[in-house]
Amino acid sequence: MDACVFCRIVEGKEPAQVVYQDEEVFAFKDIHPRAPVHILIIPKRHIASAKDLSQEDATLMGRLLLAANRVAEQLGLQGYRELIQVGREGGQTVFHLHLHLLGGPVPVW
Ligand code: AMP
Ligand code: ZN
């Protein structure tokens, strides 16, 4: 999906600081970090939003969480926050599903 900035990052057409990838998952630094560590973890396949997930995506979502754990360990985080914003009213601005991984430490909620 060429119009999608995160698809373009996965395809290497847009620059990003990549911290992890496997067959289905890709992770890179957020361009406007909200915490000392701010990583975005995304499925390589384009899914616009968490509300577009289907039953077949259950394993994929598990993989996103496991990837987040690996990245957190890799970066030496003891605790962290995982956040998914869903739809414009939920604060979502990029419509390719992504899990925010925030740490080091996170701002008070
Ligand atoms: P959300 O508001 O939940 O949709 O989060 C979108 C996130 O993507 C924001 O935190 C942006 O800073 C981040 N972002 C947008 N474009 C890029 C990019 N080209 N590279 C890295 N992060 C980006
Ligand atoms: Zn996309």
Side-chain angles (χ1 to χ4, degrees):
M1 225 212 192
D2 237 37
C4 171
V5 62
F6 287 0
C7 282
R8 290 177 57 79
I9 286 174
V10 171
E11 290 162 13
K13 294 176 180 166
E14 198 82 45
Q17 289 186 270
V18 182
V19 295
Y20 174 82
Q21 67 170 309
D22 60 34
E23 315 84 68
E24 294 187 70
V25 178
F26 202 84
F28 52 98
K29 292 188 180 174
D30 195 293
I31 206 168
H32 294 123
R34 268 38 163 238
V37 176
H38 188 171
I39 307 294
L40 299 173
I41 300 172
I42 70 171
K44 285 185 169 176
R45 177 163 58 86
H46 183 85
I47 301 171
S49 174
K51 63 182 160 191
D52 299 311
L53 288 165
S54 63
Q55 199 60 43
E56 293 72 48
D57 299 320
T59 305
L60 176 63
M61 287 310 289
R63 281 172 167 260
L64 283 195
L65 287 171
L66 291 169
N69 285 354
R70 285 181 70 152
V71 170
E73 191 181 351
Q74 192 177 298
L75 298 176
L77 299 179
Q78 301 301 313
Y80 42 94
R81 181 175 297 154
E82 296 174 344
L83 174 74
I84 298 177
Q85 311 209 96
V86 185
R88 283 191 205 289
E89 290 182 10
Q92 186 176 4
T93 58
V94 175
F95 286 82
H96 180 130
L97 171 63
H98 50 282
L99 177 81
H100 294 262
L101 171 63
L102 299 147
V106 286
V108 174
W109 190 246

